[in-house]
Amino acid sequence: MSYIYILNSLNNIVNYQKKKKNKIKFYYSNYLYSILKKLKKYFDKIYILDKKIIVKLKYIFNNPVIKNINFISKPSRRIYIKIKNLKKINVNCLLSTNVGILNRKESIKNNIGGELLFSVNV
């Protein structure tokens, strides 16, 4: 699957939450599934059924948990960050590293930098 499919899938999550939908389905991709597993605290449930990923969306007091997703790296411009610069920023973001998808805390703990994918506004 392409990087554009990942961007489109994450954008669909925000749009579905604005429409107050309960669940959303995606075609299975290892990369997308690993990203969604890192974001599992923002969802009620994530499971796989017949080569599709089904995500049950989470709401608090009838308001969506995820307000917005800001894409930092795009297909036309990839943004990489070193570990010393990552410690300076205070944003809830995901990174693509050589050991897999990591959030900010895990990458600081493992002392690994990488490509900044996106940040989540809650």
Side-chain angles (χ1 to χ4, degrees), residues 6 10 31-39 94 101 118:
I6 304 299
L10 295 173
Y31 193 58
L32 178 62
Y33 187 64
S34 62
I35 289 173
L36 291 175
K37 281 196 313 188
K38 291 296 177 181
L39 297 174
L94 255 64
I101 304 293
F118 58 88

Side-chain angles (χ1 to χ4, degrees), residues 85-106:
N85 295 333
L86 186 62
K87 291 178 182 177
K88 294 177 185 176
I89 64 171
N90 192 13
V91 178
N92 187 12
C93 60
L94 255 64
L95 285 90
S96 177
T97 64
N98 58 350
V99 295
I101 304 293
L102 300 175
N103 60 20
R104 182 180 170 272
K105 289 180 182 178
E106 291 172 343

Side-chain angles (χ1 to χ4, degrees), residues 8 56 120:
N8 194 15
K56 293 190 90 179
V120 178

Side-chain angles (χ1 to χ4, degrees), residues 40-75:
K40 69 181 174 184
K41 67 180 178 181
Y42 302 120
F43 307 124
D44 277 340
K45 195 180 220 183
I46 301 170
Y47 55 94
I48 300 170
L49 185 66
D50 295 331
K51 295 187 180 180
K52 292 196 178 194
I53 303 170
I54 299 171
V55 178
K56 293 190 90 179
L57 302 174
K58 187 179 199 179
Y59 298 94
I60 297 176
F61 298 118
N62 214 11
N63 292 324
V65 174
I66 299 175
K67 302 284 187 225
N68 195 9
I69 295 177
N70 296 326
F71 300 106
I72 300 167
S73 287
K74 297 175 180 161

